[in-house]
Amino acid sequence: MLHQRLLGSAEALQKIIDIIPSPVFVKDAGHRWVLMNGAMEDALGQPRSALLGKSDYDAFPPDEAAAFQSTDDLVFARGETVESEERLTNAQGEHRQVVIRKTPLRLGPGPGLGALFIVGTIHDVTIYREAAARSHFHSRHDMLTGLPNRTLFQERLREAVSHSNRELDNIAVLLIDLDGFKAVNDAYGHEAGDELLRVIAARLTEAVRASDTVARLGGDEFGILLRGGLNLQDAARRVAAEICEVVAVPVQLRQSQTRVSASVGITHFSNPGTGPEELLRQADIAMYSVKRGGRHGHQAYEPGLEIIANRQLHADLRHALERHQLHVVYQPQWNPPDGELTGYEALLRWEHPLYGPVPPAVFIPIAEQSGLIGIFGEFVLRAACTTAMQWPPGVRTTVNVSPLQLVENKLLAEVCAALTASGLPAGRLELEITESKPAVDSEGALITLHQLKKLGVRIALDDFGTGTASLDMMHRFSFDRMKIDSRFVAGLPEDTRGHAIVGSLISLAHKLGAQVTAEGVERMEQAFSLMELGCDEMQGYLFGHPDAQTSVL
């Protein structure tokens, strides 16, 4: 419950809810709408000017309106958030299944003294409910092959691990990737590729017992779960060997014979503390070992493969840029009090040809260890500056700078080159650095920061308050912006200690002449609390996902 001293004027609240893409409304104790955003207008099919001051009974059939107002009463009676799933008739007369989340909000001069309102959000879940209603089978099976899909495979694996933890039952996991499938698909077309997948699926099913699970996990990747029986490790190897044989048998496609092979990774449940995700990871590493060794074979997981896999990632990352596997996405940053989009943070992503998306937390340390971070940093810098020229003049771009880039002598020249090549004014570029001891101790780094500021580039301190170097860095350099880490934001507003910490950080930053951006904002309650504390900007899933926007505006 948001009993706060002051959460801002109706105008400020209107600007916050206008940013949010889902329908949002604010009601008073009389069940009347007093605020709503554009998405709510679209859902109701009327302008807010015609709806404010009205109630649910003015917009919905009586049975729906009664249901909506009954949850209002629960919020007011309990003083806590209430979530319910309801049927809503939209402006087109369509019946939609929606999840409505209502939170009490008190506006006034002090705790417990203001008027009590309700803030509500509406999320349309019709498509999910319809999919579930059509067929539970479809949601857990691959429509092309009829096999269980990744979802059902993971469910059965979790159940098997749980059973094994209780009764020391034995299980094995096999991951299978088809070697050469892309070449077949390119040569014969997608219909032929689909037929090949159906043939392989049937062969895999015949190679195991009826009690085992064969699943198509996606693309040309399959998984097998073996359960129970003595000497399962030997049995898993025999099954893997048979799979390699049956997959390699030629297949007749469009009056021609073609063939693919299989790379199979194997792992066994041997430690009661091993979870399903770890088993899949181990099998994946073993499968990758087969591919690295020439494909068409099987390999059981061994701890030593971890080191080899890590080395391989190092090697693959060296070629990722030239092979166009790296790309930049952008996450929006907003100023809720003014309702303005102020910028986008540029974020680097790696799409590995075998593993798919590799998390930044995995490949950024590798890039730093291997000396690639400077090359990648320059790539992101140039891409961000060029893309930012497509945005309105007041919108900036924020680029992360590694501490290793900061202590080198090339950063200033790279920034100047990127600004010149793109034509972006220096004031629309913000460099975000993470506090680190090398950066604090390096006079060269400090000189570079001052030169960049003199150029007009803005400098931000990331993860403000999370490390020991912050105070020293703030004492030696005047930052334009401090970014509060999401771990402090996550518990707001209920976390009183977090509330006090965030308030103190914002106050300190403002006294030092810096603006503040809060990261990881996912709920409106967090946004309201941060707004009350005087936070200048916010970013997070509430306002937009970075991966959803590789090009902007």
Side-chain angles (χ1 to χ4, degrees):
M1 183 174 180
L2 298 178
H3 292 297
Q4 306 294 346
R5 295 188 307 275
L6 180 63
L7 291 179
S9 65
E11 181 181 0
L13 287 176
Q14 183 68 59
K15 289 176 179 176
I16 282 188
I17 65 176
D18 279 339
I19 295 171
I20 301 169
S22 302
V24 182
F25 58 86
V26 178
K27 286 183 179 180
D28 63 16
H31 303 286
R32 295 179 294 267
W33 291 307
V34 294
L35 293 175
M36 65 177 60
N37 65 357
M40 187 69 180
E41 291 181 281
D42 294 339
L44 299 181
Q46 297 184 59
R48 71 187 70 177
S49 58
L51 293 167
L52 296 182
K54 302 291 183 63
S55 74
D56 297 297
Y57 283 97
D58 298 304
F60 302 111
D63 56 336
E64 293 181 14
F68 297 153
Q69 291 202 5
S70 67
T71 53
D72 290 355
D73 295 333
L74 283 176
V75 175
F76 286 126
R78 297 178 181 176
E80 58 188 35
T81 298
V82 172
E83 186 170 284
S84 63
E85 182 168 331
E86 310 287 352
R87 188 183 76 166
L88 180 149
T89 304
N90 66 11
Q92 291 73 41
E94 302 169 332
H95 298 307
R96 313 296 293 178
Q97 285 297 118
V98 296
V99 172
I100 304 179
R101 190 172 191 268
K102 298 178 180 179
T103 300
L105 171 67
R106 192 176 292 279
L107 300 178
L113 298 179
L116 192 59
F117 296 84
I118 285 177
V119 178
T121 57
I122 299 176
H123 298 282
D124 192 328
V125 296
T126 307
I127 187 171
Y128 307 109
R129 299 299 181 260
E130 289 178 346
R134 281 194 301 270
S135 176
H136 183 74
F137 178 90
H138 288 178
S139 69
R140 284 170 171 75
H141 288 76
D142 173 51
M143 293 300 99
L144 177 65
T145 64
L147 295 177
N149 61 12
R150 181 180 291 272
T151 299
L152 182 54
F153 185 78
Q154 290 176 329
E155 287 179 0
R156 291 184 179 177
L157 180 56
R158 283 194 295 269
E159 189 276 331
V161 169
S162 175
H163 185 272
S164 296
N165 274 317
R166 293 194 309 270
E167 301 184 17
L168 298 179
D169 190 17
N170 203 1
I171 63 176
V173 175
L174 285 67
L175 286 188
I176 304 142
D177 192 80
L178 302 184
D179 311 317
F181 175 77
K182 184 177 184 301
V184 173
N185 219 28
D186 292 344
Y188 296 96
H190 291 295
E191 289 185 6
D194 288 348
E195 177 60 26
L196 175 60
L197 290 173
R198 283 191 286 265
V199 171
I200 297 300
R203 292 178 180 178
L204 295 179
T205 302
E206 292 173 359
V208 301
R209 302 167 301 180
S211 58
D212 298 322
T213 297
V214 179
R216 183 187 177 207
L217 304 182
D220 60 346
E221 186 178 20
F222 295 83
I224 295 180
L225 171 62
L226 307 177
R227 295 191 62 175
L230 298 175
N231 300 318
L232 190 58
Q233 294 188 15
D234 292 338
R237 288 187 175 89
R238 289 196 300 271
V239 170
E242 184 177 352
I243 285 171
C244 290
E245 290 181 10
V246 300
V247 169
V249 174
V251 178
Q252 188 76 22
L253 291 178
R254 296 191 174 182
Q255 301 177 343
S256 298
Q257 280 196 337
T258 188
R259 61 185 298 170
V260 293
S261 61
S263 295
V264 185
I266 311 167
T267 191
H268 303 89
F269 180 87
S270 56
N271 184 346
T274 303
E277 294 80 9
E278 176 63 14
L279 289 173
L280 288 172
R281 189 189 70 84
Q282 291 176 0
D284 201 43
I285 289 174
M287 182 183 71
Y288 189 74
S289 175
V290 178
K291 285 188 170 294
R292 186 176 59 254
R295 306 184 177 188
H296 183 49
H298 58 86
Q299 169 71 55
Y301 170 80
E302 300 171 0
L305 295 177
E306 299 273 2
I307 299 174
I308 299 173
N310 190 46
R311 287 174 180 166
Q312 190 64 44
L313 277 180
H314 275 75
D316 293 345
L317 190 57
R318 290 189 178 278
H319 303 288
L321 190 58
E322 64 189 63
R323 292 172 180 170
H324 307 290
Q325 297 167 5
L326 297 175
H327 63 282
V328 181
V329 297
Y330 301 88
Q331 183 170 39
Q333 299 167 324
W334 291 87
N335 180 339
D338 293 332
E340 294 179 353
L341 173 68
T342 55
Y344 287 90
E345 180 177 358
L347 302 167
L348 186 63
R349 295 291 186 263
W350 181 19
E351 186 74 22
H352 193 281
L354 290 176
Y355 284 102
V358 180
V362 172
F363 76 82
I364 292 299
I366 294 176
E368 292 178 333
Q369 294 165 13
S370 57
L372 295 170
I373 195 65
I375 298 172
F376 292 172
E378 184 178 10
F379 167 72
V380 175
L381 181 64
R382 287 181 174 271
C385 289
T386 300
T387 304
M389 286 300 293
Q390 305 172 24
W391 307 338
V395 178
R396 70 174 186 274
T397 185
T398 300
V399 177
N400 291 277
V401 174
S402 164
L404 297 181
Q405 291 176 266
L406 192 59
V407 298
E408 294 177 349
N409 298 322
K410 298 184 293 184
L411 182 59
L412 180 63
E414 291 172 353
V415 169
C416 291
L419 292 174
T420 301
S422 63
L424 185 73
R428 290 183 59 195
L429 173 63
E430 183 172 274
L431 299 181
E432 188 174 303
I433 69 170
T434 302
E435 57 178 356
S436 68
K437 199 172 189 303
V440 174
D441 293 343
S442 170
E443 288 299 327
L446 196 59
I447 291 172
T448 299
L449 289 176
H450 283 293
Q451 290 173 329
L452 288 167
K453 282 205 70 170
K454 187 175 181 181
L455 188 66
V457 174
R458 297 171 60 82
I459 308 296
L461 177 63
D462 194 18
D463 299 337
F464 176 38
T466 61
T468 58
S470 284
L471 293 177
D472 196 7
M473 294 183 76
M474 289 186 292
H475 185 258
R476 303 178 69 191
F477 184 77
S478 178
F479 289 93
D480 298 291
R481 181 176 307 282
M482 309 290 193
K483 299 196 72 175
I484 297 178
D485 189 78
S486 58
R487 75 188 75 175
F488 297 126
V489 175
L492 295 180
E494 297 85 2
D495 179 9
T496 55
R497 294 176 67 86
H499 189 276
I501 291 172
V502 171
S504 298
L505 292 175
I506 293 173
S507 176
L508 176 59
H510 286 169
K511 288 179 180 178
L512 294 174
Q515 292 183 306
V516 178
T517 298
E519 298 180 297
V521 182
E522 300 182 357
R523 298 180 288 117
M524 282 196 304
E525 298 96 311
Q526 294 170 334
F528 292 153
S529 185
L530 288 163
M531 178 181 162
E532 181 209 15
L533 291 171
C535 187
D536 304 293
E537 288 186 0
M538 303 175 200
Q539 70 181 82
Y541 291 166
L542 178 65
F543 305 114
H545 289 245
D547 292 318
Q549 190 146 323
T550 54
S551 59
V552 294
L553 300 179

